[in-house]
Amino acid sequence: MSVARQEISGNVLTPQGFIRGKLTVVDGRVSGIEGQPISEGQARVSGEPLILPGFIDLHVHGGGGFDTMEGGNAVAEIARVHARHGTTSMLATTMTAPMADISRAMAALADAVRTHRRGGAHVMGVHLEGPYINPGALGAQPDFARPASVAEVKALHELAPIRLITMAPELPGNLDLIAPLRAAGFHVQIGHTAGTYEDGVAALQRGATGFTHLFNAMSKFHHREPGIAGAALAHAEFAEIIPDLLHVHPGAIRAALRAIPCLYCVTDSTAAAGMPDGDYNLGSHRVTKCLGGVRLADGTLAGSTLTMDQALRNLVGMGLSLDDASRRVATNAADFLGLADRGRLFVGGRADIVVLDAALHLTQVIVEGDPIDLTDV
Ligand SMILES: [Zn+2]
């Protein structure tokens, strides 16, 4: 499907820093990176194309008017929308809902996971965001929270491959499920939780490895009661954060950057991402997009309209180096899932590539060697 051989000239961001030269792609893989090392400063002022690893978003509910929970062709359409914003790999993220609705959504998206559709991001599997969450920390999740069971997760996994599960460790029984879920190959994130600091630490000890949209829908940090946010800041190696600058204050993002080595960005994007202001579905909720945010009628933030190219620009706008920002929109998420073939540009890796101009706007997106049409709406 991919163009057999391509050559892209510019400044290539590799794990060893920028190389001024060219990157070649053969049959969906990076076949060569040639040139001279240069500093990031030189790369940024050169005016030449900036060639970075494609973005990886582990928390995507929707885009382009489509929502993961609506079934049908929705996930393939969502993957197309986000590819036009530089996302080359993603997890389709389900909402808390009655089990029949989750099952229906997963059965519908299985096809998009098993067969990569040309023109879209690679849908690597499912992020099950609930229903195993605390009804007292729903955020914008509909109120269908319930305790987890390994058998139920495995039954859902039969419908479509689950990579990641968000759960609240303080719910009865959930803590004891983390080790068996981990042993069965699922990554477990702590999220939508009203748990204590101790609950967070216990979950990490049982094998949870991340936190879902750090600071949002979790017990807050207080110096005498550090909460789940405190457990993350004190102990996490990995955590998601939503850098739309609405969900989390830049100061809190900076605190998290200092505390959590592999903090990485997710969009938590809804159907409203890539769409004009108006009303959209988010699972069974009706949400409104305006002033750059998506909210329930009561004003609760309900996912975002963020795209990963904007996430990169927001981080660089906060003062991060492009190298650091790139790791937080690509490399760290790959490492979190243990994916060695993507998230960085190296010979033999997947040719998942974004090319940016000096203002960090996308000029090319390539998914496994397949160029995405950025004008296609
Ligand atoms: Zn979400």
Side-chain angles (χ1 to χ4, degrees):
M1 298 289 278
S2 59
V3 177
R5 183 188 159 84
Q6 299 164 74
E7 216 173 86
I8 312 166
S9 295
N11 297 312
V12 185
L13 181 57
T14 74
Q16 293 77 38
F18 276 97
I19 301 283
R20 180 182 202 169
K22 66 179 183 184
L23 176 147
T24 48
V25 173
V26 172
D27 292 334
R29 296 269 154 179
V30 175
S31 61
I33 298 173
E34 293 163 32
Q36 298 300 320
I38 58 167
S39 70
E40 176 167 325
Q42 290 170 317
R44 292 294 305 278
V45 300
S46 69
E48 291 160 2
L50 299 162
I51 304 165
L52 270 55
F55 308 137
I56 300 177
D57 188 353
L58 304 187
H59 197 145
V60 180
H61 292 286
F66 296 91
D67 182 286
T68 304
M69 296 303 288
E70 72 189 61
N73 212 21
V75 168
E77 294 295 334
I78 293 164
R80 287 180 60 237
V81 170
H82 285 280
R84 293 202 296 274
H85 292 278
T87 298
T88 53
S89 295
M90 56 172 265
L91 292 182
T93 305
T94 55
M95 293 282 285
T96 295
M99 200 42 72
D101 291 3
I102 295 176
S103 300
R104 189 175 50 82
M106 290 193 52
L109 66 82
D111 189 41
V113 178
R114 296 202 175 103
T115 316
H116 173 63
R117 305 267 183 91
R118 196 155 188 263
H122 179 214
V123 184
M124 301 183 291
V126 173
H127 175 173
L128 202 64
E129 190 181 21
Y132 314 126
I133 62 175
N134 192 319
L138 290 169
Q141 296 279 334
D143 190 5
F144 295 101
R146 49 189 271 133
S149 84
V150 174
E152 191 171 272
V153 171
K154 285 186 172 169
L156 289 171
H157 184 63
E158 292 284 303
L159 297 173
I162 296 169
R163 296 273 194 157
L164 180 56
I165 303 167
T166 289
M167 59 162 57
E170 72 277 15
L171 290 197
N174 275 8
L175 200 55
D176 289 334
L177 289 182
I178 296 174
L181 287 171
R182 195 75 190 90
F186 303 107
H187 296 265
V188 176
Q189 270 182 185
I190 301 162
H192 287 278
T193 165
T196 62
Y197 169 84
E198 287 76 14
D199 291 327
V201 172
L204 291 170
Q205 285 168 343
R206 306 289 178 103
T209 49
F211 290 79
T212 302
H213 41 54
L214 180 66
F215 301 126
N216 295 112
M218 66 174 59
S219 44
K220 310 272 175 266
F221 176 80
H222 182 282
H223 58 293
R224 281 189 292 272
E225 198 176 331
I228 293 290
L233 293 171
H235 301 286
E237 183 74 13
F238 291 92
E240 300 181 348
I241 201 151
I242 307 171
D244 63 352
L245 310 183
L246 283 175
H247 277 76
V248 186
H249 188 284
I253 297 178
R254 283 185 221 285
L257 285 165
R258 291 183 72 138
I260 302 176
C262 300
L263 189 77
Y264 62 89
C265 297
V266 296
T267 61
D268 198 9
S269 52
T270 61
M275 295 293 281
D277 286 357
D279 291 344
Y280 297 92
N281 293 322
L282 176 66
S284 60
H285 281 314
R286 205 67 185 145
V287 297
T288 302
K289 174 178 179 178
C290 69
L291 301 171
V294 184
R295 294 173 193 272
L296 303 181
D298 69 2
T300 303
L301 279 169
S304 82
T305 63
L306 186 62
T307 52
M308 287 299 266
D309 54 338
Q310 187 62 47
L312 179 83
R313 288 189 291 271
N314 288 351
L315 292 186
V316 172
M318 283 177 54
L320 274 70
S321 69
L322 190 53
D323 184 9
D324 191 7
S326 170
R327 275 185 272 125
R328 297 180 193 284
V329 292
T331 321
N332 293 351
D335 289 349
F336 176 66
L337 287 186
L339 303 169
D341 65 342
R342 67 195 74 192
R344 42 176 71 77
L345 295 177
F346 63 100
V347 173
R350 276 174 64 102
D352 290 343
I353 300 164
V354 292
V355 184
L356 304 154
D357 65 17
L360 304 183
H361 288 279
L362 291 164
T363 57
Q364 282 186 71
V365 177
I366 295 169
V367 178
E368 208 178 7
D370 182 17
I372 301 296
D373 181 358
L374 300 184
T375 60
D376 171 33
V377 180

